[in-house]
Amino acid sequence: MKHRFTVTRSETGRTLADWLHARLKLVMPEVLRLVRQRQVRVDGQPCTDPGRRVRPGQTIDALSAPANRRESPTPNKPGSPPKAGPKARPDGVARPVIRYADADVVVVEKPTGLTTMRHPEDVREFGQRARRFLPPTLADLLPQLLAAKNGGSPSAVRAVHRIDNETSGLVVFARTVEAERDLGRQFRAHSTDRLYLALVRGRARSGRIESHLARDRGDGRRGSTTKPADGQRAITHIRVVEELGDFTLVECRLETGRTHQVRIHLGEAGTPLCGERIYDRPSHGAPAADDSGAKRILLHAARLGFTHPATSKRMEWVSPLPKDMAVVLERLRSQARQQTQRKP
């Protein structure tokens, strides 16, 4: 059933998830599912950010499931791991791959479509019940995967950083309090090595991008602000890897790790990610055209390096492009070759 609403002045500033929760009278898991499955449009454009702030006058369309199609979740027994595992998930999300594991850390390749860890708004809404009522995250699934790989009982892992639901690639988790603290210090000191591969629209340029990112740049989206005190300092280093006609393959090295940093910096540079639907336009402007055919944002965490918290050894992993991103890359290469051949 499709619903259309207009945001009133009294609703200004509420998060999209909270606004939908109140307007549609749905439980929060259903609201989050609608948002993350692109069933919600803001001013005609899909929105996958449940934390986006709504503004008066915005038109919001939401496609909610009929009541008889919603299933009541069956809670797990207290202390038991989530029943939904990598092999049993009905949404087609690929299985995470453990690249390295020892007593202190675990490095895993996260597939697209899987959330790294529980979102803060989910925890605030449900507390410990979030594990029972919401889809499992990578942090939820890892204990089972580690137990199956190494034997023994599932033990908790500690999330140190995250990558977006639609982003694929390398993530590290700590397995002890000491490792969590040490890795946390490395991330705060920007001494980790994080490199992303991205397919973008337009002709990107190599260079350093620095700005201060705020939760609302003026149109309800995260973005750069001209008031440093209102935002967090963010630095991304861009290197052109391959020019593909109207598209570009780039490397993005993070000096800082702010929420949606790469997506925002690329979008504000005029070269939004293929598949991007949020940071693909100037403030209050129209979205950029996207002829890439991408079904998601084409961003991949391709390299991860850090100093091992127990041995002090420098370690690094590299992850190949996932299949869907590699397919789009090859198609864009072919199109670029054809364009070159047609030129006189």
Side-chain angles (χ1 to χ4, degrees):
M1 181 182 300
K2 185 175 181 179
H3 305 268
R4 170 166 288 186
F5 302 98
T6 300
V7 179
T8 65
R9 189 170 297 277
S10 64
E11 296 170 321
T12 302
R14 299 181 71 172
T15 65
L16 180 62
D18 183 51
W19 186 90
L20 289 168
H21 174 63
R23 280 294 191 112
L24 296 180
K25 308 299 182 185
L26 294 174
V27 294
M28 191 58 74
E30 182 72 6
V31 169
L32 296 174
R33 183 190 67 79
L34 291 175
V35 175
R36 291 168 186 162
Q37 292 184 0
R38 296 178 176 271
Q39 299 299 308
V40 177
R41 291 176 175 264
V42 178
D43 289 337
Q45 296 299 319
C47 179
T48 58
D49 182 4
R52 177 177 172 179
R53 303 286 174 174
V54 299
R55 295 183 294 107
Q58 285 180 322
T59 299
I60 298 181
D61 296 300
L63 184 65
S64 64
N68 62 1
R69 290 184 57 191
R70 281 186 228 137
E71 296 180 359
S72 300
T74 302
N76 296 329
K77 294 180 180 179
S80 65
K83 291 183 178 180
K87 292 182 179 179
R89 299 190 65 183
D91 53 11
V93 174
R95 182 187 180 94
V97 176
I98 295 174
R99 292 288 303 273
Y100 176 84
D102 62 21
D104 301 286
V105 300
V106 53
V107 175
V108 60
E109 284 185 334
K110 185 190 83 67
T112 182
L114 182 62
T115 301
T116 306
M117 65 186 87
R118 190 67 60 211
H119 289 268
E121 61 266 24
D122 298 347
V123 176
R124 286 194 297 268
E125 177 75 17
F126 294 99
Q128 289 301 315
R129 292 181 301 152
R131 286 176 60 87
R132 303 199 301 267
F133 293 119
L134 299 177
T137 65
L138 179 57
D140 294 329
L141 298 175
L142 264 182
Q144 291 177 287
L145 293 175
L146 288 166
K149 180 180 177 68
N150 302 319
S153 302
S155 58
V157 294
R158 301 166 184 272
V160 180
H161 68 126
R162 74 171 75 204
I163 58 178
D164 289 348
N165 178 282
E166 291 188 65
T167 303
S168 55
L170 295 163
V171 185
V172 59
F173 289 82
R175 303 188 73 180
T176 66
V177 174
E178 294 76 16
E180 180 184 25
R181 290 172 180 166
D182 189 276
L183 288 171
R185 283 193 292 267
Q186 292 185 52
F187 276 92
R188 289 192 297 273
H190 315 310
S191 61
T192 58
D193 181 18
R194 285 178 290 169
L195 184 140
Y196 289 74
L197 284 173
L199 272 171
V200 304
R201 295 169 253 175
R203 298 174 184 269
R205 299 175 62 182
S206 298
R208 179 180 183 272
I209 301 176
E210 178 175 355
S211 71
H212 286 78
L213 301 183
R215 289 184 60 86
D216 188 342
R217 63 181 183 179
D219 63 352
R221 296 173 175 82
R222 293 180 185 272
S224 297
T225 176
T226 56
K227 300 178 181 179
D230 294 339
Q232 294 179 306
R233 184 168 176 257
I235 302 173
T236 308
H237 299 269
I238 308 295
R239 186 179 76 85
V240 171
V241 176
E242 187 176 355
E243 294 180 345
L244 303 161
D246 297 328
F247 301 89
T248 313
L249 176 66
V250 299
E251 284 182 352
C252 305
R253 183 172 64 81
L254 297 188
E255 190 170 322
T256 58
R258 309 305 182 192
T259 300
H260 297 172
Q261 176 177 317
V262 172
R263 297 170 62 183
I264 293 170
H265 276 170
L266 288 172
E268 292 182 343
T271 54
L273 286 163
C274 295
E276 178 66 76
R277 298 293 183 270
I278 299 175
Y279 308 110
D280 61 341
R281 68 203 71 187
S283 183
H284 301 289
D290 188 354
D291 299 322
S292 67
K295 304 299 184 184
R296 65 168 178 99
I297 57 170
L298 295 186
L299 183 63
H300 179 66
R303 190 172 76 206
L304 174 65
F306 56 85
T307 300
H308 193 283
T311 67
S312 297
K313 179 182 177 181
R314 192 68 183 178
M315 307 183 77
E316 182 179 284
W317 293 264
V318 176
S319 172
L321 288 180
K323 183 178 179 180
D324 64 335
M325 190 168 173
V327 167
V328 175
L329 175 59
E330 286 304 316
R331 177 161 48 77
L332 296 180
R333 281 173 174 160
S334 177
Q335 292 177 3
R337 286 193 295 267
Q338 293 173 10
Q339 290 174 358
T340 300
Q341 293 170 359
R342 286 196 295 266
K343 291 181 180 180

